[in-house]
Amino acid sequence: MCINNPGTQIVSSSSITVNALQANQSSTDRNNWSLPSGKFFIMTLLAITLFAASATHAATLLFKSNFGPGVSIGAPYNYYPTGNGAWQQIIGTDQETGHKWPINALGAIFSGIQLITVDPITPATIGNYITNQIRPVTGPKGTVVNELFQNVKIKGPVGQAGSQAPLLINRLSKSGEVADLYISYWFKYSADLVSKLDSGVSSGNWRTQFAFKTGGYAGNEDQGDYRINITILKGIDGNLYWLTKGDNLANGPFPGVTYWREENHTVPVPLDKWFKFEVYWHRSSGSDGRFWAAIDGEILVDYHGSNMGKYNLPITRIMLNDAYSGGYPTVESRSTGLEIWNNFPCGIGVSCHNFDTVAPSTPISLTGKLTKFTTSASAALSWKASSDAVGVAGYAIYKNGKKIGVSTTTSYTDIISSAATGVLYAYTIKAFDAAENLSGPSSVFSIIY
């Protein structure tokens, strides 16, 4: 599968309404019948065909980032009129995946970190409350990777939500519904999370993992009628467990209603180690609605039924993860390997954790065109798309054996600066998938400047 990733745009401070700036803070509540044999054969064949189709289900990769080289976090901007927060953009092209921040998918108008503080802050004091950085660490597979580290240092008294720092995708209600979406990333909690939650204090025992909210009620993007929230709770026995629920606590002017809730005391809350978090939803007001999530391949929740609110409002806010808790500071989030797909990539209801171990096919038919300029040249390369059991995420480009770039399409242009006459340039291409499996190299395309 060839993945296309169009260009992106930077969001100006005027793109987000003042009301929307402070609207993402979560609430602290937290049949048997017979057939003639011929028809039976046909129906059986049809069923087998449908099963085979589902087994080879494919999805499209919309976005992937390892917070790799080329990605950075901008300075806080667009401070709230009240002083209780600001915004931080994530910007740049991830040189490991070829995808760009801000995210140019889902109709997103903002993709970055929202800073919400318990007290008024200024550019000089925001760092006392919340800091965010991209830094190298030992990753999930034991190699060095970049992680997004979010740290809420001052949050308010235990039992009160106070400050938070959601990694957020904001979109407008007029963009329509996000009917089907799959998101995954690697995440790591600190070893002392248990001690930071207090079941002896009212509302002091929770920590948010993921949430989405709807919006657009009466024209207000920040007022919605439905929310799904995944939270970690600490029981009175001191053990951590998961709570997922659908309610109407999406900052709308409605009395609070919980539509459904599911506790999971079986799937452990991993501490001091990387784990794979996956979430999927199909939004519907009928019985075909679904919300599914897994931790390291273990199903955390698989709710079937309506997941729409009273007014069928669309999703406007996706909190990918959120440094948000009723417990003690600091509240930390560590994440890497973010993927967003338009459906289940590994099969309907199938976790992708340790699923994809087969590399894509080798790219073929590599060709190119050399264009000479006065002091430089360009080599425009193209090739035929590779295939993969799940999906090709991109292509790595090599020149004389050294990796020089990544493309999410089947073309790439290399700018050759200050080239010396007679120098040979040999290009090869390798395909990779979202699990970082790398194909063999293509045939060599050579040019002499």
Side-chain angles (χ1 to χ4, degrees):
M1 184 189 310
C2 174
I3 309 300
N4 293 312
N5 186 48
T8 191
Q9 60 184 27
I10 300 296
V11 182
S12 68
S13 60
S14 61
S15 297
I16 307 173
T17 65
V18 171
N19 286 339
L21 291 175
Q22 298 172 338
N24 293 324
Q25 189 168 359
S26 302
S27 170
T28 58
D29 66 20
R30 303 271 152 205
N31 276 31
N32 282 325
W33 51 285
S34 61
L35 284 171
S37 59
K39 290 184 178 180
F40 179 79
F41 173 77
I42 293 172
M43 293 297 289
T44 302
L45 182 61
L46 177 59
I48 292 172
T49 302
L50 291 174
F51 175 80
S54 65
T56 57
H57 169 78
T60 299
L61 179 64
L62 303 178
F63 181 79
K64 177 175 172 62
S65 179
N66 298 326
F67 303 103
V71 178
S72 61
I73 304 176
Y77 74 105
N78 212 352
Y79 284 78
Y80 302 176
T82 63
N84 293 82
W87 299 79
Q88 275 190 291
Q89 293 238 23
I90 301 177
I91 57 177
T93 299
D94 192 324
Q95 295 176 14
E96 295 180 3
T97 70
H99 288 261
K100 298 179 181 179
W101 291 89
I103 296 173
N104 188 26
L106 308 176
I109 61 169
F110 173 83
S111 51
I113 305 164
Q114 184 179 14
L115 314 174
I116 302 174
T117 58
V118 65
D119 303 314
I121 46 83
T122 67
T125 62
I126 180 63
N128 297 330
Y129 287 79
I130 303 173
T131 57
N132 303 292
Q133 64 181 120
I134 294 173
R135 63 185 190 181
V137 296
T138 300
K141 299 180 181 180
T143 58
V144 176
V145 300
N146 278 358
E147 70 170 7
L148 172 62
F149 178 63
Q150 302 162 248
N151 189 7
V152 175
K153 304 173 182 177
I154 301 175
K155 62 163 288 295
V158 176
Q160 297 183 19
S163 308
Q164 67 180 113
L167 176 58
L168 177 70
I169 298 175
N170 259 7
R171 57 192 307 275
L172 298 175
S173 57
K174 68 180 181 181
S175 297
E177 186 56 88
V178 183
D180 292 271
L181 203 69
Y182 167 96
I183 299 168
S184 72
Y185 52 80
W186 290 96
F187 198 84
K188 188 176 185 179
Y189 280 114
S190 61
D192 61 350
L193 178 61
V194 175
S195 64
K196 287 184 175 180
L197 304 183
D198 194 336
S199 55
V201 177
S202 178
S203 295
N205 66 333
W206 59 271
R207 159 68 202 249
T208 295
Q209 174 71 45
F210 170 89
F212 74 62
K213 295 182 181 182
T214 63
Y217 178 76
N220 295 312
E221 299 298 330
D222 55 345
Q223 294 189 354
D225 64 347
Y226 200 86
R227 175 189 72 161
I228 291 183
N229 195 39
I230 299 178
T231 305
I232 296 169
L233 294 178
K234 181 179 179 179
I236 58 175
D237 59 359
N239 294 323
L240 302 181
Y241 65 97
W242 300 93
L243 171 65
T244 307
K245 66 177 182 174
D247 56 37
N248 69 343
L249 301 178
N251 307 100
F254 320 114
V257 176
T258 296
Y259 299 108
W260 60 274
R261 59 175 283 151
E262 292 189 16
E263 293 184 6
N264 191 311
H265 295 259
T266 302
V267 176
V269 177
L271 301 179
D272 198 29
K273 61 180 180 180
W274 290 102
F275 65 90
K276 185 70 170 286
F277 175 79
E278 301 170 272
V279 62
Y280 163 84
W281 65 81
H282 170 67
R283 294 211 76 206
S284 172
S285 59
S287 60
D288 63 326
R290 187 175 189 181
F291 185 82
W292 174 100
I295 302 292
D296 282 345
E298 294 188 75
I299 296 177
L300 180 65
V301 59
D302 194 2
Y303 168 80
H304 293 255
S306 173
N307 52 26
M308 303 288 287
K310 181 177 180 180
Y311 300 97
N312 294 323
L313 297 175
I315 294 171
T316 56
R317 292 154 288 173
I318 303 172
M319 284 73 103
L320 300 171
N321 60 70
D322 194 351
Y324 189 37
S325 175
Y328 299 91
T330 61
V331 187
E332 302 171 357
S333 285
R334 301 176 60 183
S335 59
T336 191
L338 171 64
E339 297 177 28
I340 304 176
W341 300 70
N342 68 349
N343 214 318
F344 275 111
C346 296
I348 299 299
V350 177
S351 168
C352 286
H353 179 60
N354 292 335
F355 178 89
D356 188 2
T357 59
V358 179
S361 65
T362 299
I364 62 173
S365 303
L366 174 61
T367 188
K369 178 181 179 181
L370 175 66
T371 301
K372 295 184 178 182
F373 306 103
T374 303
T375 59
S376 64
S378 68
L381 308 173
S382 64
W383 57 91
K384 290 186 178 181
S386 295
S387 60
D388 185 71
V390 176
V392 176
Y395 300 87
I397 293 83
Y398 298 81
K399 180 168 65 177
N400 295 341
K402 181 180 179 180
K403 184 179 177 180
I404 60 170
V406 170
S407 175
T408 56
T409 69
T410 56
S411 64
Y412 182 86
T413 299
D414 177 36
I415 304 301
I416 306 171
S417 301
S418 304
T421 302
V423 174
L424 173 70
Y425 297 99
Y427 295 92
T428 55
I429 310 294
K430 295 181 181 181
F432 61 88
D433 56 23
E436 312 295 345
N437 298 307
L438 195 64
S439 78
S442 68
S443 59
V444 177
F445 173 77
S446 299
I447 60 172
I448 297 178
Y449 180 67

